[in-house]
Amino acid sequence: MISILRCTDRFVSHAHAICTVALVAMLLAAATPTNGQGINDSGMNNDPTGNGDFVVGPQYNIDPDLTDRGNPKGKSFEFKMKLADSQIFRGDDATLNPRKKVRTHRRIFVYVPAAYRDGTPAPLLVMHDAPNRLDLVQHALDNLTISDNPQRRLPAFVVIAVENGGDDSYGSQRGLEYDTMSDRLARFINDEVLPAVSSNLALRKAYPNFRLTNDPWQRAVMGCSSGGAAALTMGWFRPDLFRRLITYSGTFVDQQNPKAAEEQDYPLGAWEYHSGLKLIENSEKKPLRIFTHVAEHDLRHNDSEDTYHNWVMANRRTAAALKAKGYDYRFVFSLGSKHCQRKVFEATLADTLVWMWQDNDDE
């Protein structure tokens, strides 16, 4: 297994340069297989189902399982939900900046794979910032639900990609939904979005007996940036609802609106997971399976610790805390890449999904 070099947490320019050179040197040295463990074309360790720390890049190739390989396709559905009809995110929160645009409706995209059998309780993957990367997940389902390799086979989960409420960062509806340290988003997805999916007329016409599972081990969440932080937050605050979590370039920094009531309990927002309150370290271990990733040149990667906004530092600390606590975790550090770059998804997402759904029948 490739372990990420533990460079200094303070990514000032000199230390960061030393760390980058050392990481590249380590990756090149690891390119020679040892005990059968080598590097594939994307730089990923050849054990796609293993826990631990991994380095990928700096060259990237798309995984063939994330392309159209001519296998049977599932069915796609799209509908809208009016924000004003919500009991949880109406678009009129007092913390919102009136200069930041709020959507009147949010789009919901649903993909039911060809392997799904009507009437069975469907596992599900909720995706934030829809329809971002939805095409890659669809291809993964088309190819890997029918894989001849049982170690690389995905369950026929339904994808529910949810559009954010609009804009970004402090004072935005998206920021309210994704960066707030509470169970509010988990409740919104569970109490409002999932019932809307199950009752959608077009979907019901195609699948009269359609139903989604209530088993939290069969419910996954995926997102990038603040959407990644939101994935962890949904599971952290409501592990009774969602337990498989995928975060790329997670915003585990102080991005919570300072006007939010949650500031009283979590004054540094998602930074509290790994630093400050050190929630992962100091809380009882939760029933969660967690994938995290950060890019070498992710947002504010040269910032000092006292900004609470260094994405690389935040994600490395989050991964270390998960490891120390004994979680099933997987952390990917992508060389030669930036925040939420598609090439990283193209190279890693198939392995990520395979790892995420390990043991899904045995929990």
Side-chain angles (χ1 to χ4, degrees):
M1 179 176 292
I2 301 173
S3 296
I4 291 183
L5 189 64
R6 298 300 181 189
C7 303
T8 177
D9 276 333
R10 293 182 178 274
F11 276 75
V12 293
S13 58
H14 178 64
H16 179 60
I18 293 173
C19 179
T20 300
V21 170
L23 278 168
V24 173
M26 179 192 68
L27 182 61
L28 292 175
T32 301
T34 303
N35 296 326
Q37 291 297 315
I39 305 297
N40 65 24
D41 288 342
S42 69
M44 178 66 79
N45 183 295
N46 276 339
D47 178 11
T49 59
N51 286 7
D53 300 341
F54 296 78
V55 174
V56 300
Q59 301 300 318
Y60 296 89
N61 297 309
I62 188 168
D63 190 312
D65 286 327
L66 299 178
T67 64
D68 186 347
R69 306 187 75 172
N71 290 317
K73 307 294 186 294
K75 296 183 183 296
S76 297
F77 306 89
E78 180 181 343
F79 64 95
K80 294 182 179 180
M81 296 181 66
K82 190 175 181 180
L83 267 69
D85 290 339
S86 173
Q87 298 300 308
I88 300 173
F89 289 123
R90 295 178 48 82
D92 59 359
D93 197 271
T95 65
L96 297 179
N97 184 335
R99 293 190 297 273
K100 293 199 170 185
K101 186 176 180 180
V102 177
R103 303 185 201 277
T104 58
H105 296 76
R106 73 174 78 237
R107 295 176 297 168
I108 311 295
F109 303 82
V110 181
Y111 186 70
V112 182
Y116 172 70
R117 295 295 173 258
D118 190 26
T120 60
L124 61 94
L125 170 65
V126 175
M127 295 182 66
H128 297 314
D129 288 319
N132 196 23
R133 312 304 184 228
L134 177 57
D135 60 322
L136 298 179
V137 179
Q138 289 176 333
H139 288 319
L141 282 167
D142 297 341
N143 297 325
L144 295 178
T145 52
I146 58 173
S147 173
D148 292 331
N149 180 358
Q151 301 302 315
R152 197 170 171 77
R153 187 178 302 144
L154 290 176
F157 61 82
V158 171
V159 185
I160 301 168
V162 183
E163 193 172 45
N164 66 66
D167 218 301
D168 192 24
S169 193
Y170 303 110
S172 70
Q173 181 66 33
R174 180 178 185 267
L176 173 66
E177 294 168 5
Y178 291 174
D179 294 315
T180 304
M181 295 286 284
S182 76
D183 73 342
R184 194 171 176 183
L185 182 61
R187 290 188 291 109
F188 171 67
I189 297 296
N190 184 75
D191 298 352
E192 297 188 2
V193 175
L194 299 188
V197 169
S198 294
S199 62
N200 180 263
L201 294 179
L203 191 152
R204 279 291 180 185
K205 183 176 181 180
Y207 302 97
N209 301 304
F210 180 83
R211 59 190 177 119
L212 295 168
T213 183
N214 290 319
D215 180 355
W217 277 116
Q218 301 293 313
R219 292 166 149 213
V221 189
M222 170 179 164
C224 197
S225 193
S226 288
L232 178 59
T233 295
M234 285 175 62
W236 185 262
F237 286 93
R238 294 302 300 268
D240 59 317
L241 299 179
F242 304 96
R243 294 187 178 177
R244 298 180 187 268
L245 315 173
I246 299 174
T247 80
Y248 278 86
S249 291
T251 302
F252 303 128
V253 301
D254 184 14
Q255 199 75 358
Q256 182 171 257
N257 194 314
K259 296 180 181 179
E262 289 77 8
E263 282 283 289
Q264 181 174 347
D265 294 325
Y266 309 103
L268 296 180
W271 190 263
E272 305 285 11
Y273 282 124
H274 53 82
S275 304
L277 295 175
K278 296 185 177 181
L279 293 174
I280 295 172
E281 176 183 338
N282 294 323
S283 301
E284 182 177 350
K285 182 182 173 185
K286 298 174 184 285
L288 301 171
R289 187 172 180 83
I290 304 169
F291 170 91
T292 62
H293 153 271
V294 77
E296 179 184 3
H297 304 296
D298 221 304
L299 298 178
R300 299 177 65 168
H301 59 280
N302 284 320
D303 271 21
S304 60
E305 181 176 6
D306 58 10
T307 66
Y308 312 123
H309 266 84
N310 185 318
W311 263 249
V312 176
M313 183 187 298
N315 279 274
R316 290 178 62 247
R317 288 182 175 184
T318 297
L322 293 171
K323 179 180 181 180
K325 199 70 175 182
Y327 277 94
D328 278 326
Y329 87 101
R330 184 177 178 90
F331 172 56
V332 169
F333 184 92
S334 57
L335 295 172
S337 58
K338 298 181 180 180
H339 188 68
C340 291
Q341 277 196 296
R342 184 178 174 90
K343 66 181 181 181
V344 176
F345 283 87
E346 291 179 340
T348 66
L349 185 55
D351 284 348
T352 299
L353 291 170
V354 168
W355 177 84
M356 180 52 61
W357 287 99
Q358 272 187 18
D359 305 321
N360 65 293
D361 293 324
D362 300 328
E363 300 292 354

